[in-house]
Amino acid sequence: QLEVEVVDMNGKTIDGPARLNIVVIDQNDNRPMFKEGPYVGHVMEGSATGTTVMRMAAFDADDASTDNALLRYNILRQTPTKPSPNMFYIDPEKGDIVTVVSPALLDRETMESPKYELVIEAKDMGGMDVGLTGTATATILIDDKNDHAPEFTKKEFQATVKEGVTGVIVNLTVGDRDDPATGAWRAVYSIINGNPGQSFEIHTNPQTNEGMLSVVKPLDYEISAFHTLLIKVENEDPLIPDIAYGPSSTATVQITVEDVNEGPVFHPNPMAVTKQENIPVGSVVLTVNATDPDTLQHQTIRYSVYKDPAGWLEINPANGTVGTTAVLDRESPFVHDNVYTALFLAIDSGNPPATGTGTLHITLEDVNDNVPSLYPTLAKVCDDAKDLRVVVLGASDKDLHPNTDPFKFELSKQSGPEKLWRINRLNNTHAQVILLQNLKKANYNIPISVTDSGKPPLTNTTELRLQVCTCKKSKMDCSASDALHISLTLILLSLLSLFCKSF
């Protein structure tokens, strides 16, 4: 839009201004362009003729109201050209790409490639020869559907496994014409017969699609030397309705079990007996029993001691009789919670020989074979003490009830006309020593006997060493004793012992 006026030499307007409209007429100087690529479409194999795959849309910068931007579409080239050079058609005006071949030809498994590339041309001027063109490539992928059932490569597979062994024993191979990247190809195996004891499992190798058949519970040759399994294979995805799993989707696996020399087995294991401690050396504890699982080999068994921590036991190699070689002691550090544990071996005559291990638990019943002990054995008191309760004594016994407390505490007879101390029982396990008068600074030995409640009871005599010390300003001096005072009773007992030995 322009405004035009006429002026003279002096700049005076002679005419105007007048409006002048200049219309720029579009010239076809812009080619169609595909701006939204890459263009990728998918179509399921076996799709009906006329199935829409994708839409191609080009842009032309020319005047949309003129033929300069009126586009028409065309397929210039298809790669590959099989099974038909014209697999697809494009709507000239809309740009929709559709299938033109029959569903039978749109079969992914028979195609040279499941990927087609189409060179699409867009031409302006309504497709006239004078029109400008632009091109783009459309990639069309033929998607797989599960229209092929997996099939075993052979009807029967063979496997050999040693008894007692677990792990993969054979890989089952199948073929499937569907796309390996989909659930239409991936195989799922199942054992449909021959596995009542659940001794076998089968899993899919994700890389090879093979079925890995494994033994998960050890097999026993003596029970069954052969196993026959019926295996079925299916896909992760369901088959299309008009396809079914056929006879080739099942196979038989023949498994041969090899005999292995197995170790003897103790019955029962562990074994348990109860015995009194201190039973005579040579006493029979029990007779162990082990059998050889290799019933078809008729082997002999010999026995031996494997672990006997205290060295108390022996076993007859031929008949398995276990006897004592030492005194059994419930209070031994090798006994835990009244139970002594030993291990024995049963060795067969195979080549090489096989070994089984049996555990024996001996529960030891308590016998009164431990004297009680007294604590403490040292006490101190001031020579001018007002509280003459010297010490509280305790007694302990390694035995169990009723062979322990209540304990009986007694003092040996004291010499002289005056008694210097006494003992008072406080409870079942403790007593208190009390001075009857203040004593001179010295060391005194007080014999005290403690008797347990066992049948028969056991007595232990222990000397309590009593130090009478000088106490000044809360300091106790026991270093220099005036004399060592020993109970006359002990002196008499010593003299009597010497007298007896001389005769």
Side-chain angles (χ1 to χ4, degrees):
Q1 293 181 346
L2 303 178
E3 284 188 353
V4 181
E5 64 180 1
V6 181
V7 297
D8 59 16
M9 295 295 293
N10 296 320
K12 182 179 179 181
T13 299
I14 299 175
D15 193 8
R19 176 169 293 182
L20 174 63
N21 290 328
I22 303 175
V23 177
V24 180
I25 300 173
D26 184 43
Q27 181 181 357
N28 190 19
D29 57 351
N30 287 277
R31 294 179 178 277
M33 297 180 65
F34 291 90
K35 294 184 177 181
E36 299 178 0
Y39 297 91
V40 179
H42 293 263
V43 62
M44 186 70 69
E45 65 171 330
S47 296
T49 302
T51 300
T52 299
V53 180
M54 60 191 299
R55 169 170 287 188
M56 300 292 291
F59 170 77
D60 195 311
D62 291 318
D63 188 355
S65 64
T66 68
D67 287 350
N68 294 340
L70 182 62
L71 304 182
R72 294 292 181 264
Y73 299 94
N74 181 43
I75 299 175
L76 294 181
R77 185 170 63 254
Q78 171 190 302
T79 306
T81 59
K82 295 180 180 180
S84 169
N86 299 306
M87 299 285 293
F88 306 95
Y89 166 77
I90 189 168
D91 186 304
E93 297 182 3
K94 297 179 180 178
D96 290 340
I97 299 177
V98 298
T99 62
V100 294
V101 294
S102 66
L105 284 181
L106 202 62
D107 185 355
R108 186 182 185 282
E109 285 74 36
T110 61
M111 290 178 172
E112 179 181 324
S113 170
K115 182 173 73 172
Y116 287 85
E117 290 187 348
L118 305 180
V119 178
I120 306 297
E121 177 189 66
K123 182 183 287 188
D124 58 19
M125 298 301 292
M128 296 176 60
D129 292 342
V130 295
L132 301 178
T133 61
T135 60
T137 299
T139 300
I140 299 177
L141 300 175
I142 311 302
D143 291 336
D144 188 38
K145 63 182 178 180
N146 198 8
D147 56 350
H148 292 87
E151 297 181 352
F152 283 100
T153 57
K154 52 186 178 181
K155 291 300 296 179
E156 184 174 293
F157 295 84
Q158 304 289 333
T160 301
V161 59
K162 293 182 178 180
E163 65 172 332
V165 174
T166 59
V168 177
I169 58 174
V170 66
N171 289 327
L172 310 180
T173 53
V174 295
D176 195 317
R177 297 170 63 188
D178 291 313
D179 184 2
T182 67
W185 177 82
R186 290 189 291 270
V188 178
Y189 297 86
S190 58
I191 303 172
I192 60 177
N193 196 12
N195 190 28
Q198 305 303 308
S199 298
F200 303 92
E201 286 184 359
I202 188 166
H203 299 281
T204 304
N205 185 322
Q207 281 73 42
T208 64
N209 219 26
E210 294 178 339
M212 301 180 294
L213 180 63
S214 302
V215 177
V216 293
K217 293 182 181 179
L219 304 177
D220 191 338
Y221 172 84
E222 284 70 31
I223 294 178
S224 178
F226 300 96
H227 296 267
T228 300
L229 303 181
L230 183 61
I231 309 295
K232 181 180 180 179
V233 62
E234 299 174 308
N235 289 132
E236 285 185 4
D237 294 346
L239 294 171
I240 61 175
D242 54 341
I243 301 295
Y245 294 104
S248 297
S249 295
T250 59
T252 301
V253 182
Q254 300 290 346
I255 301 168
T256 302
V257 183
E258 294 182 346
D259 191 18
V260 173
N261 187 26
E262 301 170 89
V265 179
F266 283 86
H267 306 282
N269 193 21
M271 302 159 280
V273 295
T274 300
K275 296 291 180 181
Q276 277 195 339
E277 64 172 336
N278 295 343
I279 59 175
V281 175
S283 299
V284 174
V285 177
L286 86 164
T287 298
V288 302
N289 178 38
T291 58
D292 196 327
D294 301 302
T295 55
L296 303 179
Q297 299 185 22
H298 305 292
Q299 299 182 107
T300 59
I301 295 176
R302 60 183 176 89
Y303 300 94
S304 65
V305 177
Y306 179 40
K307 287 186 179 180
D308 178 18
W312 290 343
L313 306 173
E314 64 181 359
I315 189 169
N316 186 305
N319 61 24
T321 299
V322 178
T324 62
T325 60
V327 175
L328 307 183
D329 183 9
R330 190 198 66 84
E331 291 76 32
S332 167
F334 297 106
V335 177
H336 302 283
D337 296 327
N338 303 325
V339 177
Y340 180 70
T341 301
L343 302 179
F344 296 91
L345 299 179
I347 307 167
D348 65 22
S349 57
N351 185 22
T355 302
T357 304
T359 302
L360 172 61
H361 297 307
I362 305 175
T363 300
L364 295 175
E365 295 180 337
D366 188 41
V367 172
N368 193 22
D369 58 350
N370 289 275
V371 297
S373 59
L374 194 69
Y375 61 91
T377 57
L378 174 65
K380 297 179 181 182
V381 65
C382 295
D383 56 3
D384 58 351
K386 294 180 179 180
D387 186 357
L388 298 182
R389 292 175 293 182
V390 177
V391 67
V392 174
L393 300 177
S396 63
D397 196 315
K398 293 182 180 180
D399 294 316
L400 299 176
H401 287 288
N403 296 321
T404 56
D405 60 87
F407 297 110
K408 180 181 178 182
F409 299 87
E410 292 180 306
L411 286 174
S412 298
K413 292 183 179 181
Q414 303 177 50
S415 61
E418 295 185 28
K419 293 185 178 180
L420 302 178
W421 43 71
R422 74 169 184 265
I423 189 166
N424 290 342
R425 183 171 176 269
L426 298 177
N427 53 36
N428 289 347
T429 58
H430 290 79
Q432 190 170 54
V433 176
I434 303 173
L435 293 183
L436 301 179
Q437 62 185 37
N438 288 109
L439 301 178
K440 295 180 179 181
K441 181 180 180 182
N443 291 338
Y444 300 84
N445 288 338
I446 305 175
I448 300 174
S449 61
V450 184
T451 304
D452 62 25
S453 297
K455 294 182 179 180
L458 296 180
T459 301
N460 180 30
T461 299
T462 303
E463 284 190 349
L464 171 65
R465 186 183 181 191
L466 177 62
Q467 290 184 336
V468 180
C469 309
T470 301
C471 300
K472 293 180 180 181
K473 296 181 180 180
S474 301
K475 292 184 179 181
M476 181 177 284
D477 181 12
C478 304
S479 59
S481 300
D482 293 336
L484 177 62
H485 291 255
I486 304 175
S487 168
L488 181 59
T489 302
L490 287 183
I491 296 175
L492 292 175
L493 289 175
S494 299
L495 291 175
L496 180 61
S497 176
L498 291 173
F499 177 76
C500 292
K501 287 182 180 179
S502 63
F503 289 92

